[in-house]
Amino acid sequence: MTKKKYSKTVLIATLSMVAIFIFFFQKYIYNAPNYLTVSFLDVDQGDAIFIEAPNGVQMLVDSGPDNSLLQELSKVMNFWDRSIDVVVATHPDKDHIGGFPELFKRFEVGYVFDTEVVSDTGIYREYKSERDESGARLLRAKAGQVIV
């Protein structure tokens, strides 16, 4: 290999490594806020709130009525992040839990805070089934409860 070809190869390899480093560690280079972020997600006729603490702990409150939640999460989370620490289902209406079944299939969820309110709707049965299959720890939310 000639010296000119060798230099070109080394330059391309070095630039590629720098690009890969920036691409995979962009969160820590550019997006490392030291404050709480709260994102109100546009999920049409429903509610979904994504919260991320300065230490990286993530919480999702409700999910909206359908799978549009997943597209909205991709706007506020890194594409390789497939875990959410805490999910809160405020009540079993479709406009609050409709996106959770698909979320449970695609994301690793640590804890699910749920009320004792139940419903006999198909979306609630699907939500409960996927929640139970996901392996997330189920905790019953109660008035005055503190989450650390």
Side-chain angles (χ1 to χ4, degrees), residues 16-74:
S16 297
M17 294 302 286
V18 169
I20 290 170
F21 178 81
I22 290 172
F23 182 76
F24 282 109
F25 296 100
Q26 69 178 337
K27 179 177 181 177
Y28 304 105
I29 295 171
Y30 300 113
N31 302 325
N34 58 356
Y35 48 85
L36 181 78
T37 60
V38 178
S39 302
F40 296 90
L41 306 179
D42 181 11
V43 291
D44 297 326
Q45 297 295 318
D47 294 319
I49 303 167
F50 179 77
I51 303 168
E52 187 166 10
N55 64 0
V57 173
Q58 299 169 329
M59 175 184 275
L60 180 64
V61 180
D62 291 336
S63 68
D66 55 29
N67 295 341
S68 62
L69 169 73
L70 299 175
Q71 184 176 9
E72 291 301 309
L73 280 176
S74 71

Side-chain angles (χ1 to χ4, degrees), residues 59-62 85-91 100 104 109-116 127 131 136-142 145-148:
M59 175 184 275
L60 180 64
V61 180
D62 291 336
D85 300 298
V86 179
V87 162
V88 179
T90 59
H91 62 281
F100 280 142
F104 289 132
V109 176
Y111 294 89
V112 176
F113 277 87
D114 202 343
T115 65
E116 293 183 353
Y127 156 77
R131 179 196 69 198
R137 283 191 57 198
L138 177 62
L139 301 170
R140 294 293 179 194
K142 297 177 182 147
Q145 189 172 23
V146 176
I147 303 170
V148 179

